[in-house]
Amino acid sequence: MKVLLTHRYFVPDSSPYGVILDRIAKDLVAAGHEVSVFTSRPSYGRAAAKSLRREQVGAVTVRRVWVLSEASRNPLARLLNVLIYCVALCSHILRARADVVTACTFPPVLAAWSASLAARLSGARFVYHMQDIHPEVSAYSGGRLGRGLPARLLTALDNQTLRRADAIVTLSEDMADTLRARGLGPLPITLINNPALEPDGYPIAPPPDLVKPADTTRVIFAGNLGRFQNLPLLAEGVAQCFAAHPELELMFLGDGVALPELEARWGTHPQVRFAPFLPFAQARGIIGGADIGLVSLSANIYRVAYPSKVSTYLDLGLRILALVEPESQIARELEQRGTGAVPRAATPEAIGAALETLLTAPPDAPGAAPEQTTWPALLAGLDAPDKTRKA
């Protein structure tokens, strides 16, 4: 098949999904598919200046559309980039003559809606790869797009995308249940969790000052320090164990909107460390050197997202402390595999008690990971493209 993978970001950009898409592309090439990627130029640093409109990355052809720099985090530039990207995405799909087109959930709703419409017009099959679910994310997090007219409009557009999709990939059964609750009837949902992140090229040694000292037990939260992670509460919970475990260190590795609040509360504490965002090839050594990985989601976010860091932590041999609802798939899988602990309640005391069990109990032999399908298997299950299909 001729497969066109699309997303706003792709390697060497810093977005985790860009790395995941690179892995999917390589798996599909290995399965015998002709694969191309449509994306934008990298948004930051030297990679943006050196990017080409068209380049060959191994067996994968990458086409990039020019967008404004987002280094300044200007909201107007980001809005313009959404429009530029979605228009260019439609145009490219109509010209590409692909058999299968994929799109993800960023930019939220609009990118997948644009891609699904262009795929239908061109007669291509469409695969909707859902990393999160909008506008439900905004509804659960209290965002403006999660209520009123904006929420109804976004839901209507996203429902059109779901109806056009030949396959819908979610990361968990919790996410699949959220889609089913929209009442659209049977949907072609397949569960494929994201693979563990891998470095692009050879691993890079982390800065020496961030390497874990030999006499330290490190618990680490690596990734976006965002507003959906409930990180202030997580930090308060980990701190419950500081007095009994003077060797314990809490590290936040990354950047995000929650960083100022965390630094204001914990910036001078001797058992808390902050490390800046690093490319994964460099961060991997820091994460792999830790003892326990931290996952944290605000209430109900497990219904609309599944943190990719879970797979990365497990791949690197870390046990996991997950601040999530006990009924979530994350909690069930950690219990099933014996690879982590989940607090009984979203309180500092319960978080501290769960962490204490990981600090004092010897690790169990991990159980087998749940079986699931693969991207090559998903595409093999799609019918041969019907070029007579039109909108």
Side-chain angles (χ1 to χ4, degrees), residues 217-235:
T217 298
R218 175 177 286 176
V219 296
I220 188 169
F221 184 94
N224 177 43
L225 309 182
R227 65 180 185 274
F228 303 146
Q229 278 84 15
N230 214 0
L231 296 178
L233 174 61
L234 178 68

Side-chain angles (χ1 to χ4, degrees), residues 74-325:
N74 185 322
L76 179 58
R78 292 190 172 191
L79 177 59
L80 287 174
N81 281 345
V82 170
L83 298 176
I84 293 169
Y85 175 76
C86 289
V87 170
L89 174 64
C90 278
S91 176
H92 183 78
I93 293 172
L94 291 173
R95 299 193 312 268
R97 296 185 175 277
D99 298 318
V100 177
V101 173
T102 77
C104 187
T105 43
F106 188 87
V109 178
L110 296 180
W113 184 87
S114 302
S116 67
L117 176 61
R120 177 62 63 89
L121 290 170
S122 66
R125 300 290 181 175
F126 177 68
V127 179
Y128 195 3
H129 193 192
M130 306 197 76
Q131 298 294 295
D132 40 32
I133 301 176
H134 298 272
E136 284 86 345
V137 166
S138 293
Y140 288 134
S141 62
R144 289 177 294 179
L145 297 180
R147 56 182 183 270
L149 180 60
R152 292 194 294 273
L153 176 59
L154 291 173
T155 300
L157 291 174
D158 201 53
N159 285 346
Q160 290 180 10
T161 304
L162 293 170
R163 290 190 179 101
R164 292 185 191 126
D166 296 280
I168 300 164
V169 177
T170 67
L171 309 182
S172 70
E173 281 296 334
D174 297 323
M175 294 175 65
D177 288 341
T178 297
L179 294 179
R180 296 182 185 112
R182 290 190 183 180
L184 301 178
L187 293 171
I189 296 174
T190 298
L191 172 61
I192 307 178
N193 210 324
N194 287 331
L197 294 181
E198 296 178 352
D200 182 26
Y202 294 101
I204 303 172
D209 63 308
L210 297 181
V211 175
K212 187 190 75 170
D215 57 350
T216 297
T217 298
R218 175 177 286 176
V219 296
I220 188 169
F221 184 94
N224 177 43
L225 309 182
R227 65 180 185 274
F228 303 146
Q229 278 84 15
N230 214 0
L231 296 178
L233 174 61
L234 178 68
E236 294 288 347
V238 172
Q240 300 288 308
C241 297
F242 281 162
H245 298 275
E247 79 289 354
L248 181 63
E249 176 190 86
L250 167 61
M251 172 177 274
F252 289 103
L253 175 62
D255 196 2
V257 296
L259 181 59
E261 179 181 355
L262 293 169
E263 287 184 323
R265 173 69 176 87
W266 300 103
T268 60
H269 196 286
Q271 290 175 264
V272 180
R273 293 198 66 184
F274 292 90
F277 167 82
L278 294 172
F280 186 69
Q282 209 171 10
R284 191 178 194 276
I286 300 173
I287 299 170
D291 300 280
I292 296 170
L294 299 175
V295 174
S296 182
L297 296 176
S298 299
N300 288 310
I301 294 297
Y302 79 91
R303 302 178 188 274
V304 294
Y306 189 103
S308 59
K309 62 173 58 69
V310 172
S311 299
T312 300
Y313 288 156
L314 294 175
D315 184 62
L316 294 174
L318 276 65
R319 290 183 292 169
I320 295 175
L321 173 67
L323 178 55
V324 294
E325 286 87 336

Side-chain angles (χ1 to χ4, degrees), residues 28-53:
L28 294 177
V29 167
H33 297 286
E34 179 185 342
V35 180
S36 62
V37 171
F38 180 80
T39 184
S40 66
R41 73 165 187 164
S43 299
Y44 306 99
R46 289 177 294 177
K50 295 181 178 180
S51 64
L52 303 173
R53 287 183 61 86

